[in-house]
Structure formats: C-alpha cells, structure tokens
Amino acid sequence: MNHDTHTPAAAGTPAAGGPAPAPAPAPDFRRSVVYQVYPRSFADSNGDGIGDLRGITEHLDHIAGLGVTDIWLSPVYASPNDDNGYDISDYRAIMPEFGTLEDFDELVAAARERGMRIIMDLVVNHTSDEHEWFRQSRSSRENPYRDYYIWRDPAGFRDDGTPIPPTNWVSCFSPSAWEWDEATGQFYLHFFSTKQPDLNWENPRVREEVYALMRFWLDRGVGGFRMDVINAISKGEEFVDDPRVSAGGRESSLYLVANGPRVHEFLQEMRREVLDHYDTITVGETPGTTVEDGLKYAGFARGELNMVFTFEHMMLDGNPEGYGKWWDGRVSLPALKQNLAHWQKGLEGRAWNSLYWNNHDQPRVVSRFGDDRPEYRVRSAAMLGTVLHMLCGTPYIYQGEEIGMTNVAFPELSDYDDIEQRNAYHQYVTDGGIFTHEQMMRYIAHRGRDNARTPMQWDASENAGFTSGTPWLRVNPNYPDINAAADRPDPHGVYQHYRRLIELRHRHEVIISGDFELLDPEDPHTFSYVRRLGEQTLLVTANVSDEDRALPFPVPEASGPFTLLNSNVDPAPEAPDQPLRPYEARIWLAG
Ligand code: GLC
Ligand code: CA
C-alpha cells in the first residue's frame, strides 16, 4: 500500500458530506518571474548548428536555478523562417529543425517537474504566406479563405501600368506595407515582411481559428501566451494615408493601426472564449502603447491581458533625426527613470507592469545602458538587474542577460542574419543614401536585433558550447571570457546576483505589492527609489556611472533602521548614505 496517496483522514477533517475543502488558490501572475528563450540560439542538441527543444530541456536546470516561474519560448511552430519563426506556416506543428511534438511535451513535463510553466509565443497578427490559409486566400477572389486576410484594390495605375498601392503605408521590414498579387489583381496588407500577410480579425472565422489553436496548446499543458504585436489586430475598415510618410518619413506606419477600434472587444472575447477556462499568464507585445492604453489592456478588472510590454523606455535612445532606432547615442538616464516611474505610478493599484531590459528584438542591456568594459561589465549588469527587479511588475530575463552577455560587432554585413537589419541597410544606405556604410555598421552593432541572437555562451569550448557543428549565426568572440560555466558558480557573478534578486522577490511582499516613489528624477548619475507597504520601506539606490556618487537626496524616513538586503560591491556598505561606488546598487529594508 502506498502511504503517500492513501493517508487516513486526520482528526478534524470534515467527513464525507461535510463542506468541500476550499480550492487551492490559483497561482497569482503577480508573483511570476519569466525567462525568455530564443530557441534558435539557446542550445543545439544534435550538431546541426540550430538550437532546438531538446537543447532547452537539457539546460532547464540553468533556468530553474534562477528561481523563475515561467519560460517564454519565442515561436517554435512550423515556419519558413523569413523572420525566424515569427512567420508561422502551421500553428499546430513544431518546426522540424526544433524537434517534434513529443520533444515539446517532454519539455513541458520537465519544466513542470522543476516548478515552471511554458509560455508560448502567439503570433496571430499575421501568418506566413506559406500558411495553408494564405495559399487558399490568394488562389482566387472567391475562395472561402479570401477574407482571412486583408485584400484591397489598387488606388489606380501608373502610366506604365504598375498598380498603385491602396495607401502609402510603410511596413516594418520593407518599403511598402502592400504587396501586389498579379493573379487576383489586388494588394494584400503586411506590416512586416512580404511573407507575413496580416490576418483579418474582422472576420469571426479568423478569431475562432485563433481561439481553437490557443486551446490546442493549453490542452497540451502550456501555461499562457506572449502575444506578438497584439495591439495591431484591429485595423478598422477605412484606411487613410500615413501623414508622416506623406511628409517624407521612413518609419513604419504600424502606429496608425495600433490600439485600433475593436482591439479591446477582441481581447475580451478571447478571454471569455479561451483564457477564462484555463489557468494562464498573458502578456501582450504592444508597440505604441501609452500608460492610458496599458490601463485598458492590463487593468485588473478589464478581463483582457495580465500585462503588456511597453516600448516607451526602449525608444528613448532612437535617432534624433527620425530615422527610427538606428543610432549609437546613449540614453538620457533622467528620461529613462522618469519613463519607468511614469508607468509605475500610472498603473499602480490598477493594472500590472511587465519589467524588461532585453528581449530578442533589443540589443544587450549591459552594452546599452550599462558599461561593458571588462572592469565594469559584471558590476553594471548586476546594477541594472537590481534597479529593474525591485520595481513593481513581472520581471523578464532574456537568455544570456543572467550572465552579462554583451553586444557584438561583426565586421561584415554578411556576418549578420536579421531581416530587419538587412532591410534597414538597404533603406538607409543602398537606396536611401542617408547613412554611410560605416555609420550603419556602427548603428547595427549598437541597436541591431542580432546582438540578442548570437548563440548562448555556455562555456569556453569551441562555439561557446552552443553547438558541435557550425552555428547558424556566429558566436560572440568574447565567449572564452563571458560564459555560463565561468559565471554561474561565481558568488560575485551576474547569475548569482539575479538568483538573489529573484529570491528577494519571492520572500518580500513589499516587492510585489508596495507602492513606488522615484527619489532622484533629475540626477544624471543615480537611480534610486522606494517601495512602501504598511510599515515596510524598501530603498533601492544605484550608481549608473563609473565614478563615486553621493546620494542626491536625504535618506527617506522609515519606521525603523535600514538593513542591507543586497549589494553588488565589496565590502558591503554600512549605511544608506555612504557614497555609492561605480555601478554600485544596494537594496535596503526598514520595518
Ligand atoms: C514582434 C517580434 C519580432 C517580430 C515581429 C513580427 O515585434 O517580437 O521579433 O519580427 O513581431 O512578428
Ligand atoms: Ca539542432
């Protein structure tokens, strides 16, 4: 007899027929900490140079060791990889390069054994043009799938007979958001590459298809979704020209259709139809979203999403002349802090924040907002972790961030892979003549997406232990010095620092629920704030520079003396008002 499963009823347990035991409380998404895996670049288990599901399963202890609750996988569905999986050709199949559905099930189970859930990337603003729906849709105007996508007649024809697109909209990855289909004589809309046609969410059948595929994965045990550009799904029905493009602008017109007329209705429908029936965590990727929009998407009582990714703090170091993100200037620290504070205060008590420095679309934060010179790399990476993780919201860690991986600067354009970088090079150098080759290579090294996509650096062996074959994208040459095998066991390394930050979050309610106040909004060198909950005051002070700095404010009042919870520079400070050493970050608790 198995005594674990047949425990006799203890004294005081209600007899059969008594009141039913209270159901276990649902896991609270506010307590989650998420680790993002970009599968192509994480770990290759079979030597073909491409990361895969088994590679992830083999490295789960690295992730679990941090104390995270969820793993978000960038897309693993079947895809021709025009945009590395963000162009899906079959929502119910795994990309063969990544493995099989069985491998996927194993990953879900192995993660669950370690107390973690798998979050899928839901890419349903668009599909691949190789998806069966689109093959059908483009086959004739009468096909039942025609209305799954957004087709429009040309605005007219030029003298030479070429059709004029319905509007002047610019796509994120190509000059026009409209692609001409010769066979059926109409244009289709694509806000990303020509191989990523936008779905028509006005069509209820499209929405039902999406809800069905979500159930497919939830029934397989996934714990939720990160929803790709989900705020662009409602485009309205009347399309007008983009005034910025008319004025000579070159940035994408996506903002025009962001947060469209029916987006909240669609998301509420999705919650009723799907999400309410499962225990999930949801986060929407929502470019062009303000605090006011965030309150709608992620409001506690609105029944839409748990949280959204704001882009505002990621756009503060863009090109000052309006050429998108392509630039190599530093962010203004006051602007960065004030924006984060604006979201902290704006959502406080009413909606939930996501917290991130990195993802597969952003350069490496230690190079961008920190200092990746050898003497300061670890310290500044840890400092950035501290100031982010003590904020109110769900922290997201992107693979490699936890070991302080840096940007890369490859010598040739052909060393890179990303479609966005290639397109931008054409737009601004080859066709536009706006930047020189040298300038653009510098901007790519600062801001390009491939900074995040170079293979994960596991150890000092060839190709950083990522693959025994030839990696699909070159490894950052700094891997002999920067890798998980070296960093993880080091008590002063980045990994152990992140692990301690997450442990603090799991232990102290003030980090989850405390309110927020920024202490040094104008100071160009420090980043400090307090979180308060009842008698407790959590004080975070950080130096975002390479010189000693005094606190530019008096130590805030608290109900008792401050004790140090965490710091990243030895010897540990004795009092909060001691000057901060270069890139030092401290966490104090009183009460
Ligand atoms: C999102 C993804 C990005 C992708 C785009 C199109 O922004 O994060 O990687 O290229 O959507 O799906
Ligand atoms: Ca592989």
Side-chain angles (χ1 to χ4, degrees):
M1 182 175 161
N2 182 337
H3 293 276
D4 290 339
T5 53
H6 297 275
T7 321
T13 304
D28 180 354
F29 68 83
R30 298 181 314 130
R31 292 170 201 287
S32 55
V33 179
V34 183
Y35 185 94
Q36 182 191 353
V37 169
Y38 193 70
R40 202 170 194 77
S41 304
F42 192 63
D44 173 22
S45 70
N46 63 353
D48 66 355
I50 297 171
D52 45 54
L53 294 175
R54 287 182 167 224
I56 303 170
T57 307
E58 285 166 9
H59 287 85
L60 279 181
D61 288 334
H62 173 86
I63 303 175
L66 287 166
V68 305
T69 58
D70 297 83
I71 300 174
W72 150 29
L73 296 184
S74 276
V76 295
Y77 314 88
S79 163
N81 281 311
D82 191 49
D83 185 20
N84 278 356
Y86 283 90
D87 47 321
I88 296 169
S89 53
D90 184 346
Y91 288 100
R92 287 178 174 76
I94 297 291
M95 189 186 307
E97 289 169 333
F98 288 175
T100 62
L101 268 178
E102 288 68 47
D103 296 332
F104 180 82
D105 292 342
E106 265 176 43
L107 171 59
V108 169
R112 186 179 292 141
E113 275 167 29
R114 292 165 176 81
M116 301 180 293
R117 303 188 292 186
I118 298 291
I119 299 176
M120 293 291 265
D121 212 312
L122 185 72
V123 188
V124 289
N125 172 68
H126 46 268
T127 70
S128 164
D129 67 338
E130 297 182 32
H131 193 290
E132 185 56 24
W133 301 337
F134 192 72
R135 289 181 198 275
Q136 296 281 341
S137 185
R138 80 183 325 171
S139 69
S140 85
R141 290 202 193 191
E142 285 71 46
N143 188 283
Y145 286 90
R146 184 69 170 181
D147 204 27
Y148 270 43
Y149 295 86
I150 299 169
W151 293 95
R152 287 290 190 277
D153 290 332
F157 292 87
R158 297 201 176 81
D159 291 346
D160 66 358
T162 51
I164 303 170
T167 64
N168 65 358
W169 293 354
V170 170
S171 124
C172 299
F173 298 159
S174 59
S176 172
W178 295 100
E179 182 73 359
W180 177 244
D181 181 59
E182 190 65 52
T184 59
Q186 283 190 313
F187 283 92
Y188 67 84
L189 183 65
H190 62 90
F191 267 104
F192 294 90
S193 88
T194 54
K195 288 181 65 61
Q196 292 170 295
D198 282 52
L199 282 165
N200 175 20
W201 276 68
E202 298 292 329
N203 180 348
R205 284 178 57 206
V206 166
R207 307 205 294 276
E208 273 156 32
E209 299 267 17
V210 170
Y211 304 153
L213 77 90
M214 290 173 75
R215 289 185 204 106
F216 173 87
W217 291 102
L218 290 166
D219 290 338
R220 274 202 118 80
V222 317
F225 297 100
R226 174 268 186 187
M227 303 184 188
D228 195 64
V229 284
I230 199 68
N231 64 327
I233 57 177
S234 167
K235 299 187 169 72
E237 301 214 70
E238 268 181 48
F239 296 163
V240 293
D241 272 354
D242 181 347
R244 292 193 201 165
V245 174
S246 308
R250 285 161 186 270
E251 282 189 72
S252 118
S253 309
L254 189 69
Y255 78 97
L256 272 187
V257 297
N259 312 314
R262 297 182 69 190
V263 67
H264 298 291
E265 174 198 334
F266 292 159
L267 290 174
Q268 286 171 12
E269 180 182 89
M270 178 192 280
R271 173 148 302 273
R272 276 196 313 277
E273 294 291 320
V274 185
L275 299 169
D276 271 350
H277 306 278
Y278 298 85
D279 185 18
T280 57
I281 176 170
T282 54
V283 52
E285 190 210 23
T286 55
T289 291
T290 61
V291 163
E292 289 65 40
D293 300 313
L295 286 167
K296 294 185 187 154
Y297 288 115
F300 289 132
R302 298 253 318 170
E304 295 183 27
L305 303 171
N306 292 150
M307 61 197 116
V308 294
F309 289 130
T310 163
F311 277 59
E312 288 185 346
H313 68 304
M314 291 283 116
M315 308 216 329
L316 300 170
D317 50 356
N319 187 295
E321 278 150 51
Y323 301 124
K325 68 183 190 182
W326 304 107
W327 190 238
D328 60 356
R330 293 287 288 192
V331 73
S332 138
L333 181 63
L336 181 63
K337 289 183 290 189
Q338 288 168 22
N339 182 266
L340 292 168
H342 178 59
W343 280 81
Q344 290 285 300
K345 294 310 290 176
L347 268 48
E348 200 161 271
R350 298 200 281 163
W352 193 245
N353 270 295
S354 71
L355 309 170
Y356 76 97
W357 289 139
N358 279 284
N359 60 41
H360 64 291
D361 295 330
Q362 298 295 337
R364 294 283 177 183
V365 72
V366 66
S367 304
R368 184 182 188 179
F369 299 153
D371 189 334
D372 63 10
R373 289 175 295 174
E375 64 271 41
Y376 290 128
R377 182 184 62 85
V378 169
R379 244 197 225 200
S380 67
M383 177 276 294
L384 288 165
T386 296
V387 295
L388 189 78
H389 279 245
M390 293 300 112
L391 293 172
C392 183
T394 293
Y396 288 75
I397 300 155
Y398 177 70
Q399 67 185 43
E401 177 182 344
E402 77 283 14
I403 58 166
M405 277 176 63
T406 68
N407 279 352
V408 73
F410 290 136
E412 306 292 336
L413 189 63
S414 58
D415 293 325
Y416 292 103
D417 169 86
D418 178 28
I419 183 173
E420 183 188 70
Q421 294 175 186
R422 271 185 278 131
N423 174 60
Y425 186 92
H426 288 300
Q427 197 179 353
Y428 293 113
V429 182
T430 324
D431 300 342
I434 293 169
F435 302 143
T436 63
H437 168 80
E438 288 69 29
Q439 258 179 317
M440 192 67 200
M441 291 302 284
R442 227 169 47 235
Y443 298 164
I444 286 175
H446 272 265
R447 299 300 307 277
R449 304 198 297 182
D450 278 344
N451 285 306
R453 301 177 182 186
T454 59
M456 177 73 183
Q457 293 163 209
W458 291 107
D459 58 39
S461 69
E462 208 188 343
N463 290 318
F466 163 73
T467 180
S468 58
T470 307
W472 72 276
L473 178 66
R474 284 175 55 189
V475 174
N476 190 319
N478 64 21
Y479 73 86
D481 297 318
I482 304 175
N483 61 68
D487 182 82
R488 200 173 41 215
D490 178 356
H492 299 285
V494 184
Y495 182 97
Q496 294 300 332
H497 185 80
Y498 268 68
R499 189 187 58 69
R500 288 189 291 264
L501 294 174
I502 295 166
E503 200 173 67
L504 287 177
R505 167 169 291 264
H506 291 320
R507 186 175 305 158
H508 296 283
E509 185 63 28
V510 61
I511 302 172
I512 309 284
S513 308
D515 58 19
F516 170 91
E517 188 193 339
L518 184 63
L519 296 172
D520 49 8
E522 305 298 340
D523 191 280
H525 307 296
T526 64
F527 186 172
S528 311
Y529 54 87
V530 278
R531 308 281 316 277
R532 287 198 177 90
L533 181 69
E535 293 285 283
Q536 292 207 314
T537 305
L538 185 86
L539 171 65
V540 177
T541 56
N543 181 352
V544 193
S545 81
D546 60 3
E547 288 171 34
D548 287 355
R549 303 284 172 191
L551 291 190
F553 51 86
V555 174
E557 309 234 321
S559 61
F562 280 106
T563 51
L564 185 72
L565 289 186
N566 181 281
S567 74
N568 65 337
V569 181
D570 280 343
E574 279 157 22
D577 57 2
Q578 278 175 8
L580 292 158
R581 291 159 286 186
Y583 300 110
E584 182 171 8
R586 306 169 180 164
I587 308 171
W588 305 87
L589 183 68

